[in-house]
Amino acid sequence: MLDSSEGYVTEDGRKIGGVVMEMKNITLRFGGVVAIKDISFDIREGEIRAIIGPNGAGKSSMLNVISGFYVPQEGEVWFHGAKRPPMRPYEVAQQGIARTFQNIALFEGMSVLDNVMTGRLSFMKTNIFQQALWKGKAEAEEGENREAVEKIIDFLEIQHIRKTPVSRLPYGLKKRVELARALAAEPKLLLLDEPMAGMNVEEKEDMSRFILDVNDEFGTTIALIEHDMGVVMDLSDRVVVMDYGRKIGDGTPDEVRNNQEVIDAYLGVSHD
Amino acid sequence: MFYREAGDFKTSYRDDSQTFPIKFDRYRYYVVLAVAFGIIPFIINDYWANALLLPFLIYAIAAIGLNILVGYCGQVSLGTGGFMAVGAYACYKLMTAFPDVSMFIHVLLAGGITAFVGVLFGLPSLRIKGFYLAVATLAAQFFLVWLFNRVPWFYNYSASGQINAPERDVFGIIVTGPNASAWATYLFCLIFLTVSAIIARNLTRGTTGRTWMAIRDMDIAAEIIGVNPLKAKLTAFAVSSFFVGIAGALFFAVYLGAVEVGEVFGIQKSFLVLFMVIIGGLGSIFGSFAGAAFLVLLPVVLKLIGVDLLGWPTDIVAHLNLVIVGALIIMFLILEPHGLAQLWRVAKEKLRLWPFPH
Ligand SMILES: Nc1ncnc2c1ncn2[C@@H]1O[C@H](COP(=O)(O)OP(=O)(O)OP(=O)(O)O)[C@@H](O)[C@H]1O
Ligand SMILES: [Mg+2]
């Protein structure tokens, strides 16, 4: 079923669409280090796609390639059926790709609300003169976007910390605010780099629920990196497995779990 | 508990993003405006205007400008003096070239020209950060002063090399030159300060301000979530220089009347405005006012107490001023980077809960 270009239906009955993003033969080097070696995979509309692999496998580098932050030496990125020309990260964001970071990258000097509002940049159309005037267009725009942001704040249950400076929040909440900022962009593709790292069981359950809800309610396509295998198996529709920059597995959680090369990589079988 | 927000409910998001969300603050703001516009012009005299009010109003505009760049956008600048000089010389050239045009237009255009120059000198910020950017703006400072000293066209080939403000008016009211009255110069500067503060406030509470702060707090992440760093940094340089240029134009044309560029707009000026921003509070419009007021008042108060009251020698008091400013800078940088504005906020917080400690 996976090979059908029209998509497939998941076990729990969700309809997965056509290919949204396709990575073709990506190779990324840092000097002598090959972070990604000739990897191809695709992400389909509405699916939750996991990228897993041991430390240093090149997972974050892959997200950075998708974000346009790293430019691969070889390979092509296809988005919505077209080859993506070289572009700056902010242009990639404007195309509808939002993300969170492995080491939280919030704006520490700003309130939770301002952080999340920053996620809505691509909806802000007023120019600097209208903003200087405030009354009229800018004020209306601020109000509309504030309403959208409040919905996300409600959705992620962070109403009580709206006005709190981010620097005062505990780790778990920061992760949630970062997700809120990404969601505020109403992305077509959401990239999550270890959204549950460093969380306790309860926080992980909350976060899993949010990820499923986002996918379910907004139909957002999600690509996520995660180390907790239990979480990955529960959440994802398809999994890419990376090791030492190579792709060693790609398929449903069950297929991947039974793949001998994947088992070896995780058990630490030597590499020669 | 007379200072409170309880019972002052917001029913819309618009109310929530007001400049003064608490009613009490809003009233105090109207009172200050009423006094500034309605009472002071009637009781002002030359001493008050020249010793305190004009320098305060003008430095506050400069501090707001610099605060946008340093406090909001995180781009260090040591070129404020040089950019004030651009405003002053632009204003001078305009005043002498178009004597019939309103002084209002001249000052605005001087700000616009400075904004343009600021963007040019802001271009390196796209490549370099922090210490290196500070050195680049320092170079701009020295280059601009040198330029205005060396190219006679800028001072209309006057023998002294100075620029002197001719008499100009706004709607028939003289605001520059020796015949300008104290109330007119005061009101002229006050209008510029009020509008500058409102514009700065509007920009910093909305989209543009958030892109500036995002760049300040984490520039790489900001770009990845959609902030165009080029646009954010260059608008910060433009808006900042616009205000600094207006301040320079007013400082020359309305306050001093005559300027020797190295003396008035030298590196000391850059540091003075930077100190105002640090003492007042980085990233706060109110802090820009507080910092300007503090550094304008300090020498006057010291002279009043030290020289007039206690009879100390003038130079000792002048040194004391420097020592106090230096100590305060170190203290604020280490203990309270958000300056007087933060102290004020904390005090209000306490007052709101008073008399109950929690
Ligand atoms: N900017 C960089 N410069 C040099 N080397 C880099 C850079 N970014 C990543 N690397 C290298 O690329 C390889 C892959 O790193 P990456 O961060 O993508 O791994 P990862 O799979 O995300 O690991 P982890 O699970 O620890 O987050 C590592 O060897 C890393 O040292
Ligand atoms: Mg990683």
Side-chain angles (χ1 to χ4, degrees):
Chain A
M1 263 213 299
L2 272 183
D3 296 331
S4 146
S5 62
E6 290 307 309
Y8 62 98
V9 178
T10 61
E11 282 167 23
D12 52 343
R14 279 160 41 249
K15 270 225 189 70
I16 302 300
V19 172
V20 175
M21 170 140 279
E22 190 171 8
M23 314 299 285
K24 291 187 180 172
N25 306 99
I26 301 286
T27 296
L28 175 71
R29 285 183 288 266
F30 295 106
V33 182
V34 185
I36 301 174
K37 197 185 279 172
D38 193 27
I39 289 191
S40 303
F41 69 97
D42 62 17
I43 303 171
R44 284 168 179 279
E45 188 168 7
E47 113 183 302
I48 299 183
R49 188 76 149 118
I51 302 175
I52 64 170
N55 288 109
K59 307 180 295 295
S60 296
S61 301
M62 185 57 90
L63 284 205
N64 282 329
V65 168
I66 299 178
S67 285
F69 183 60
Y70 289 159
V71 181
Q73 279 78 12
E74 283 157 47
E76 297 173 354
V77 178
W78 285 64
F79 190 50
H80 285 300
K83 184 180 162 189
R84 191 169 80 187
M87 48 171 74
R88 306 282 310 166
Y90 73 89
E91 295 170 309
V92 172
Q94 283 161 4
Q95 285 202 324
I97 299 181
R99 67 172 291 181
T100 66
F101 299 83
Q102 185 167 353
N103 310 306
I104 301 167
L106 286 169
F107 308 122
E108 295 275 325
M110 297 158 68
S111 68
V112 168
L113 184 61
D114 277 336
N115 266 277
V116 183
M117 282 293 278
T118 312
R120 293 200 61 83
L121 261 182
S122 57
F123 299 92
M124 303 297 192
K125 303 292 179 214
T126 54
N127 62 40
I128 196 164
F129 297 102
Q130 291 166 321
Q131 289 174 34
L133 195 64
W134 190 255
K135 286 283 165 222
K137 287 243 169 62
E139 190 177 29
E141 180 179 76
E142 183 86 0
E144 286 158 24
N145 285 287
R146 175 75 190 273
E147 249 165 72
V149 159
E150 286 293 336
K151 282 198 192 110
I152 289 159
I153 286 178
D154 284 349
F155 176 75
L156 291 178
E157 297 159 19
I158 48 175
Q159 304 92 330
H160 58 295
I161 52 165
R162 238 194 229 103
K163 295 285 173 71
T164 313
V166 158
S167 53
R168 282 197 218 154
L169 296 180
Y171 181 84
L173 275 179
K174 281 190 183 177
K175 281 263 180 200
R176 211 185 281 187
V177 174
E178 214 191 9
L179 178 61
R181 185 180 66 185
L183 287 181
E186 297 178 19
K188 297 195 192 85
L189 173 61
L190 175 63
L191 311 173
L192 305 173
D193 196 343
E194 305 201 12
M196 287 163 239
M199 287 187 166
N200 61 34
V201 178
E202 204 178 320
E203 287 171 327
K204 277 187 186 180
E205 277 171 5
D206 279 344
M207 190 53 99
S208 300
R209 181 166 53 86
F210 288 134
I211 291 172
L212 286 173
D213 283 351
V214 167
N215 176 257
D216 203 39
E217 285 188 30
F218 310 127
T220 309
T221 309
I222 298 174
L224 67 89
I225 297 174
E226 188 46 60
H227 275 295
D228 185 322
M229 286 311 267
V231 170
V232 171
M233 296 302 155
D234 281 352
L235 285 183
S236 53
D237 299 312
R238 287 193 297 153
V239 185
V240 175
V241 191
M242 290 177 70
D243 187 25
Y244 284 95
R246 292 178 311 122
K247 182 167 102 169
I248 58 170
D250 190 349
T252 63
D254 279 332
E255 287 169 0
V256 162
R257 195 168 16 204
N258 297 321
N259 178 327
Q260 190 56 45
E261 213 179 338
V262 175
I263 296 168
D264 290 348
Y266 271 87
L267 293 180
V269 172
S270 74
H271 277 268
D272 38 32
Chain B
M1 283 230 304
F2 68 99
Y3 180 79
R4 65 208 189 110
E5 58 182 342
D8 193 5
F9 294 111
K10 320 284 183 303
T11 49
S12 75
Y13 298 133
R14 170 190 295 208
D15 289 352
D16 202 30
S17 60
Q18 284 178 110
T19 305
F20 299 102
I22 297 177
K23 253 192 198 139
F24 187 78
D25 284 339
R26 214 146 60 228
Y27 290 143
R28 194 174 42 216
Y29 165 72
Y30 291 137
V31 169
V32 169
L33 272 186
V35 171
F37 278 94
I39 297 180
I40 293 181
F42 293 102
I43 57 173
I44 195 170
N45 59 31
D46 280 338
Y47 172 76
W48 282 96
N50 289 324
L52 287 178
L53 291 168
L54 289 186
F56 162 68
L57 297 174
I58 296 169
Y59 278 125
I61 299 175
I64 288 173
L66 186 63
N67 215 334
I68 282 176
L69 193 62
V70 183
Y72 284 95
C73 197
Q75 311 295 304
V76 187
S77 170
L78 294 175
T80 314
F83 292 118
M84 285 179 79
V86 173
Y89 278 78
C91 191
Y92 173 68
K93 291 300 288 187
L94 289 165
M95 286 167 84
T96 48
F98 308 100
D100 300 327
V101 174
S102 163
M103 192 57 201
F104 225 87
I105 310 280
H106 289 322
V107 174
L108 276 183
L109 285 178
I113 290 168
T114 314
F116 178 76
V117 175
V119 168
L120 284 186
F121 283 100
L123 287 174
S125 73
L126 304 176
R127 281 300 165 99
I128 56 178
K129 296 179 197 175
F131 175 73
Y132 298 95
L133 181 62
V135 173
T137 58
L138 196 61
Q141 164 72 43
F142 286 116
F143 169 75
L144 288 168
V145 169
W146 173 86
L147 182 75
F148 293 129
N149 249 329
R150 277 309 163 87
V151 181
W153 179 80
F154 285 114
Y155 48 86
N156 283 359
Y157 308 93
S158 77
S160 62
Q162 283 197 348
I163 53 175
N164 290 287
E167 190 170 290
R168 293 288 178 269
D169 66 82
V170 182
F171 302 124
I173 301 163
I174 298 168
V175 290
T176 66
N179 295 324
S181 40
W183 69 267
T185 55
Y186 164 81
L187 267 187
F188 188 63
C189 293
L190 179 64
I191 290 169
F192 274 104
L193 173 59
T194 309
V195 175
S196 300
I198 292 172
I199 291 176
R201 165 65 190 157
N202 287 347
L203 288 177
T204 52
R205 70 170 144 174
T207 309
T208 301
R210 283 190 293 266
T211 63
W212 291 340
M213 291 186 278
I215 290 288
R216 172 195 70 191
D217 287 348
M218 198 169 259
D219 53 354
I220 291 175
E223 177 164 10
I224 292 177
I225 71 154
V227 176
N228 180 345
L230 178 115
K231 195 173 151 196
K233 286 180 185 174
L234 293 188
T235 51
F237 269 95
V239 174
S240 166
S241 310
F242 177 69
F243 292 140
V244 169
I246 285 179
L250 294 174
F251 203 76
F252 150 68
V254 178
Y255 177 51
L256 291 180
V259 156
E260 200 284 310
V261 63
E263 223 165 80
V264 176
F265 296 122
I267 180 75
Q268 309 93 310
K269 198 59 99 217
S270 299
F271 278 113
L272 180 63
V273 181
L274 187 62
F275 290 166
M276 287 174 178
V277 170
I278 292 172
I279 290 179
L282 288 163
S284 159
I285 306 290
F286 171 75
S288 311
F289 280 81
F294 188 84
L295 286 192
V296 167
L297 269 176
L298 186 64
V300 178
V301 170
L302 281 180
K303 181 178 167 297
L304 219 73
I305 297 176
V307 181
D308 301 351
L309 214 66
L310 301 175
W312 294 349
T314 321
D315 55 336
I316 297 275
V317 173
H319 287 306
L320 190 63
N321 186 33
L322 288 179
V323 171
I324 292 177
V325 171
L328 279 176
I329 292 291
I330 293 170
M331 204 184 79
F332 274 113
L333 281 180
I334 295 173
L335 298 177
E336 187 48 81
H338 298 290
L340 291 172
Q342 179 66 13
L343 294 183
W344 175 240
R345 265 195 295 273
V346 171
K348 281 205 300 190
E349 203 89 348
K350 293 255 159 69
L351 199 58
R352 195 149 82 201
L353 301 173
W354 187 84
F356 310 110
H358 292 291

Short mmCIF file of all heavy atoms in Angstrom, two decimals, chain B residues 53-91:
data_model
loop_
_atom_site.label_atom_id
_atom_site.label_comp_id
_atom_site.label_asym_id
_atom_site.label_seq_id
_atom_site.Cartn_x
_atom_site.Cartn_y
_atom_site.Cartn_z
N LEU B 53 15.25 71.80 30.57
CA LEU B 53 14.17 71.24 29.76
C LEU B 53 14.58 70.90 28.34
O LEU B 53 14.33 69.79 27.88
CB LEU B 53 12.97 72.20 29.77
CG LEU B 53 12.29 72.26 31.14
CD1 LEU B 53 11.32 73.42 31.23
CD2 LEU B 53 11.59 70.95 31.43
N LEU B 54 15.24 71.85 27.64
CA LEU B 54 15.63 71.53 26.26
C LEU B 54 16.58 70.34 26.21
O LEU B 54 16.35 69.41 25.43
CB LEU B 54 16.24 72.77 25.58
CG LEU B 54 15.26 73.90 25.25
CD1 LEU B 54 15.96 74.98 24.44
CD2 LEU B 54 14.06 73.37 24.49
N PRO B 55 17.68 70.36 27.01
CA PRO B 55 18.54 69.17 26.93
C PRO B 55 17.80 67.88 27.27
O PRO B 55 18.00 66.87 26.61
CB PRO B 55 19.66 69.45 27.94
CG PRO B 55 19.39 70.76 28.55
CD PRO B 55 18.22 71.39 27.87
N PHE B 56 16.91 67.92 28.25
CA PHE B 56 16.17 66.71 28.59
C PHE B 56 15.34 66.23 27.40
O PHE B 56 15.39 65.06 27.01
CB PHE B 56 15.27 66.94 29.80
CG PHE B 56 14.19 65.89 29.93
CD1 PHE B 56 14.52 64.59 30.24
CD2 PHE B 56 12.86 66.21 29.70
CE1 PHE B 56 13.55 63.60 30.33
CE2 PHE B 56 11.87 65.24 29.79
CZ PHE B 56 12.22 63.93 30.11
N LEU B 57 14.56 67.13 26.81
CA LEU B 57 13.68 66.74 25.70
C LEU B 57 14.50 66.16 24.55
O LEU B 57 14.15 65.13 23.96
CB LEU B 57 12.87 67.94 25.20
CG LEU B 57 11.89 68.58 26.19
CD1 LEU B 57 11.28 69.84 25.59
CD2 LEU B 57 10.80 67.59 26.57
N ILE B 58 15.60 66.83 24.23
CA ILE B 58 16.37 66.42 23.05
C ILE B 58 17.12 65.11 23.32
O ILE B 58 17.13 64.19 22.49
CB ILE B 58 17.34 67.55 22.63
CG1 ILE B 58 16.52 68.77 22.19
CG2 ILE B 58 18.25 67.08 21.51
CD1 ILE B 58 17.32 70.03 22.01
N TYR B 59 17.73 65.02 24.50
CA TYR B 59 18.44 63.76 24.82
C TYR B 59 17.46 62.59 24.91
O TYR B 59 17.81 61.46 24.59
CB TYR B 59 19.21 63.88 26.14
CG TYR B 59 20.55 64.54 25.97
CD1 TYR B 59 20.91 65.66 26.72
CD2 TYR B 59 21.48 64.04 25.05
CE1 TYR B 59 22.15 66.26 26.57
CE2 TYR B 59 22.71 64.64 24.89
CZ TYR B 59 23.05 65.74 25.65
OH TYR B 59 24.26 66.33 25.49
N ALA B 60 16.24 62.87 25.37
CA ALA B 60 15.27 61.78 25.45
C ALA B 60 14.96 61.24 24.04
O ALA B 60 14.84 60.03 23.86
CB ALA B 60 13.99 62.26 26.13
N ILE B 61 14.87 62.13 23.06
CA ILE B 61 14.65 61.66 21.68
C ILE B 61 15.83 60.81 21.22
O ILE B 61 15.66 59.71 20.67
CB ILE B 61 14.47 62.85 20.71
CG1 ILE B 61 13.26 63.70 21.11
CG2 ILE B 61 14.31 62.35 19.27
CD1 ILE B 61 13.08 64.96 20.27
N ALA B 62 17.06 61.29 21.50
CA ALA B 62 18.24 60.53 21.11
C ALA B 62 18.26 59.17 21.81
O ALA B 62 18.60 58.15 21.22
CB ALA B 62 19.51 61.32 21.42
N ALA B 63 17.90 59.18 23.10
CA ALA B 63 17.94 57.93 23.87
C ALA B 63 16.90 56.94 23.35
O ALA B 63 17.17 55.73 23.26
CB ALA B 63 17.72 58.22 25.35
N ILE B 64 15.72 57.43 23.00
CA ILE B 64 14.71 56.55 22.41
C ILE B 64 15.28 55.92 21.13
O ILE B 64 15.19 54.72 20.89
CB ILE B 64 13.42 57.32 22.09
CG1 ILE B 64 12.68 57.68 23.38
CG2 ILE B 64 12.51 56.50 21.18
CD1 ILE B 64 11.49 58.60 23.16
N GLY B 65 15.92 56.76 20.31
CA GLY B 65 16.51 56.26 19.07
C GLY B 65 17.54 55.18 19.33
O GLY B 65 17.49 54.09 18.75
N LEU B 66 18.48 55.47 20.22
CA LEU B 66 19.54 54.49 20.49
C LEU B 66 18.98 53.23 21.14
O LEU B 66 19.44 52.12 20.88
CB LEU B 66 20.63 55.12 21.37
CG LEU B 66 21.85 54.22 21.57
CD1 LEU B 66 22.55 53.97 20.24
CD2 LEU B 66 22.82 54.83 22.57
N ASN B 67 17.97 53.42 21.99
CA ASN B 67 17.38 52.27 22.67
C ASN B 67 16.75 51.30 21.68
O ASN B 67 16.79 50.09 21.87
CB ASN B 67 16.34 52.74 23.69
CG ASN B 67 16.34 51.86 24.93
OD1 ASN B 67 16.71 50.69 24.87
ND2 ASN B 67 15.91 52.41 26.04
N ILE B 68 16.17 51.83 20.62
CA ILE B 68 15.59 50.95 19.60
C ILE B 68 16.67 50.06 19.00
O ILE B 68 16.50 48.85 18.86
CB ILE B 68 14.89 51.79 18.52
CG1 ILE B 68 13.54 52.26 19.07
CG2 ILE B 68 14.73 51.01 17.22
CD1 ILE B 68 12.80 53.18 18.16
N LEU B 69 17.81 50.65 18.72
CA LEU B 69 18.89 49.88 18.11
C LEU B 69 19.53 48.91 19.11
O LEU B 69 19.68 47.72 18.83
CB LEU B 69 19.94 50.85 17.56
CG LEU B 69 20.96 50.23 16.63
CD1 LEU B 69 20.29 49.66 15.39
CD2 LEU B 69 22.00 51.26 16.22
N VAL B 70 19.91 49.43 20.26
CA VAL B 70 20.68 48.62 21.22
C VAL B 70 19.75 47.78 22.11
O VAL B 70 19.93 46.58 22.26
CB VAL B 70 21.57 49.52 22.11
CG1 VAL B 70 22.41 48.66 23.05
CG2 VAL B 70 22.47 50.37 21.24
N GLY B 71 18.75 48.44 22.67
CA GLY B 71 17.90 47.77 23.64
C GLY B 71 16.90 46.82 23.00
O GLY B 71 16.63 45.75 23.54
N TYR B 72 16.34 47.20 21.87
CA TYR B 72 15.34 46.35 21.24
C TYR B 72 15.94 45.40 20.22
O TYR B 72 15.56 44.25 20.14
CB TYR B 72 14.23 47.19 20.59
CG TYR B 72 13.27 47.77 21.60
CD1 TYR B 72 13.44 49.05 22.11
CD2 TYR B 72 12.20 47.01 22.08
CE1 TYR B 72 12.57 49.56 23.06
CE2 TYR B 72 11.33 47.51 23.02
CZ TYR B 72 11.51 48.79 23.50
OH TYR B 72 10.66 49.29 24.45
N CYS B 73 16.87 45.91 19.42
CA CYS B 73 17.37 45.04 18.33
C CYS B 73 18.72 44.41 18.66
O CYS B 73 19.20 43.56 17.93
CB CYS B 73 17.44 45.83 17.03
SG CYS B 73 17.57 44.77 15.57
N GLY B 74 19.34 44.84 19.77
CA GLY B 74 20.57 44.19 20.20
C GLY B 74 21.79 44.51 19.36
O GLY B 74 22.78 43.79 19.39
N GLN B 75 21.74 45.59 18.57
CA GLN B 75 22.89 45.98 17.75
C GLN B 75 23.62 47.13 18.45
O GLN B 75 23.09 48.22 18.54
CB GLN B 75 22.44 46.41 16.35
CG GLN B 75 21.49 45.44 15.68
CD GLN B 75 22.13 44.11 15.41
OE1 GLN B 75 23.15 44.01 14.74
NE2 GLN B 75 21.54 43.04 15.95
N VAL B 76 24.82 46.86 18.93
CA VAL B 76 25.55 47.87 19.67
C VAL B 76 25.97 49.01 18.76
O VAL B 76 26.41 48.77 17.64
CB VAL B 76 26.80 47.27 20.33
CG1 VAL B 76 27.46 48.29 21.24
CG2 VAL B 76 26.44 46.02 21.09
N SER B 77 25.82 50.25 19.23
CA SER B 77 26.29 51.37 18.44
C SER B 77 27.03 52.38 19.29
O SER B 77 26.55 52.79 20.34
CB SER B 77 25.13 52.07 17.74
OG SER B 77 25.59 53.29 17.16
N LEU B 78 28.21 52.78 18.83
CA LEU B 78 28.96 53.85 19.47
C LEU B 78 29.03 55.06 18.55
O LEU B 78 29.89 55.91 18.69
CB LEU B 78 30.37 53.37 19.83
CG LEU B 78 30.43 52.28 20.90
CD1 LEU B 78 31.85 51.79 21.08
CD2 LEU B 78 29.88 52.80 22.22
N GLY B 79 28.10 55.11 17.59
CA GLY B 79 28.16 56.18 16.61
C GLY B 79 27.11 57.26 16.79
O GLY B 79 26.90 58.09 15.90
N THR B 80 26.44 57.27 17.94
CA THR B 80 25.33 58.20 18.13
C THR B 80 25.73 59.66 17.90
O THR B 80 25.01 60.41 17.25
CB THR B 80 24.76 58.06 19.56
OG1 THR B 80 24.62 56.67 19.84
CG2 THR B 80 23.41 58.74 19.67
N GLY B 81 26.89 60.04 18.42
CA GLY B 81 27.36 61.42 18.23
C GLY B 81 27.47 61.74 16.74
O GLY B 81 27.01 62.79 16.28
N GLY B 82 28.06 60.82 16.00
CA GLY B 82 28.22 61.03 14.56
C GLY B 82 26.89 61.16 13.85
O GLY B 82 26.72 62.01 12.97
N PHE B 83 25.91 60.36 14.26
CA PHE B 83 24.60 60.43 13.60
C PHE B 83 23.84 61.69 14.01
O PHE B 83 23.10 62.27 13.21
CB PHE B 83 23.78 59.17 13.88
CG PHE B 83 24.36 57.95 13.22
CD1 PHE B 83 24.80 56.87 13.95
CD2 PHE B 83 24.49 57.92 11.84
CE1 PHE B 83 25.36 55.76 13.33
CE2 PHE B 83 25.05 56.81 11.20
CZ PHE B 83 25.49 55.74 11.95
N MET B 84 24.05 62.12 15.26
CA MET B 84 23.47 63.42 15.65
C MET B 84 24.07 64.52 14.78
O MET B 84 23.38 65.46 14.35
CB MET B 84 23.72 63.71 17.13
CG MET B 84 22.85 62.90 18.06
SD MET B 84 23.17 63.23 19.82
CE MET B 84 22.28 64.77 20.05
N ALA B 85 25.38 64.41 14.50
CA ALA B 85 26.04 65.41 13.64
C ALA B 85 25.42 65.39 12.24
O ALA B 85 25.21 66.45 11.64
CB ALA B 85 27.53 65.13 13.57
N VAL B 86 25.10 64.19 11.73
CA VAL B 86 24.46 64.12 10.41
C VAL B 86 23.14 64.90 10.44
O VAL B 86 22.85 65.70 9.54
CB VAL B 86 24.20 62.66 9.99
CG1 VAL B 86 23.39 62.61 8.70
CG2 VAL B 86 25.51 61.91 9.81
N GLY B 87 22.37 64.69 11.50
CA GLY B 87 21.10 65.42 11.64
C GLY B 87 21.33 66.91 11.70
O GLY B 87 20.63 67.70 11.04
N ALA B 88 22.33 67.32 12.46
CA ALA B 88 22.61 68.75 12.63
C ALA B 88 23.04 69.38 11.31
O ALA B 88 22.52 70.44 10.92
CB ALA B 88 23.70 68.93 13.69
N TYR B 89 23.97 68.73 10.61
CA TYR B 89 24.47 69.32 9.36
C TYR B 89 23.42 69.27 8.26
O TYR B 89 23.33 70.20 7.44
CB TYR B 89 25.78 68.64 8.93
CG TYR B 89 26.96 69.23 9.67
CD1 TYR B 89 27.22 68.87 10.98
CD2 TYR B 89 27.77 70.19 9.08
CE1 TYR B 89 28.28 69.43 11.68
CE2 TYR B 89 28.84 70.75 9.77
CZ TYR B 89 29.09 70.37 11.07
OH TYR B 89 30.11 70.94 11.76
N ALA B 90 22.64 68.19 8.23
CA ALA B 90 21.56 68.12 7.25
C ALA B 90 20.60 69.28 7.49
O ALA B 90 20.18 69.98 6.56
CB ALA B 90 20.84 66.78 7.35
N CYS B 91 20.27 69.50 8.75
CA CYS B 91 19.35 70.57 9.11
C CYS B 91 19.93 71.94 8.72
O CYS B 91 19.25 72.78 8.15
CB CYS B 91 19.07 70.51 10.62
SG CYS B 91 17.73 71.57 11.13
#
